[in-house]
Amino acid sequence: PTPLPGNSSCLCCSLPFYLFFLAMSDLYVSWSDYHRNIEQLAVKIYQSNWQFNQILCLAKGGLRVGDILARIYDLPLAILSTSSYGGVNNQVRGSITISRDLTMTTANLGSHILLVDDLVDSGVTLKKALTWLDRKYGFYVEEVRTAVLWYK
């Protein structure tokens, strides 16, 4: 694959995000670098001037990303559990499993949702999560944009 520029847009919705291109199969990041990357992502989201009222993370990978962004923006966090990797060291991409419902502390889901994850590989999980969200909560949702730390 060809490296992409550092400032790019999400494949699903054109929201700017901080992009890391992975040229190797494994990437090792310190916790301080990981947190700094999330803070840089928060800056990119802020610079987009998009107003959102709910953060939805895809767990497990996007859980820490969602938690930190929810604290930075002081917005409610909803969690959608997904699983698409298994096998040895959870490195084999397989079928996608999505939980039955969201975990959230608000009575209703927000109308403008920032959907976050740590990594986009093929984009299949994000697309399926967006379809799931529309089917289950489409009557609440006016707009969804996505943000991720890494694009593989």
Side-chain angles (χ1 to χ4, degrees):
T2 305
L4 298 173
N7 295 325
S8 192
S9 298
C10 179
L11 298 173
C12 297
C13 67
S14 300
L15 178 68
F17 64 85
Y18 193 79
L19 181 69
F20 294 89
F21 182 77
L22 303 180
M24 59 193 125
S25 61
D26 294 324
L27 175 68
Y28 299 95
V29 179
S30 70
W31 280 113
S32 61
D33 286 344
Y34 184 69
H35 286 192
R36 186 173 21 264
N37 292 343
I38 295 171
E39 290 169 357
Q40 289 172 335
L41 179 63
V43 169
K44 294 289 183 182
I45 294 164
Y46 175 80
Q47 289 172 343
S48 76
N49 293 318
W50 185 60
Q51 299 296 311
F52 52 98
N53 55 14
Q54 178 84 54
I55 296 172
L56 171 59
C57 69
L58 299 182
K60 296 184 288 201
L63 193 55
R64 187 167 305 273
V65 178
D67 175 56
I68 293 171
L69 291 175
R71 292 171 191 275
I72 289 171
Y73 286 102
D74 194 26
L75 288 173
L77 176 66
I79 302 165
L80 179 61
S81 293
T82 61
S83 176
S84 59
Y85 284 87
V88 178
N89 296 322
N90 284 321
Q91 293 182 342
V92 178
R93 191 171 28 168
S95 62
I96 297 171
T97 303
I98 298 177
S99 63
R100 290 187 205 191
D101 213 338
L102 296 174
T103 299
M104 57 186 176
T105 57
T106 55
N108 297 311
L109 192 62
S111 59
H112 292 76
I113 299 171
L114 180 65
L115 177 63
V116 300
D117 202 356
D118 62 341
L119 170 74
V120 169
D121 187 342
S122 65
V124 172
T125 302
L126 271 179
K127 288 177 189 173
K128 289 196 179 232
L130 288 166
T131 299
W132 182 97
L133 187 62
D134 184 53
R135 287 184 182 152
K136 294 269 194 170
Y137 291 91
F139 49 91
Y140 290 113
V141 179
E142 293 179 29
E143 187 175 11
V144 178
R145 295 190 184 185
T146 62
V148 298
L149 289 180
W150 295 285
Y151 176 79
K152 187 173 179 182

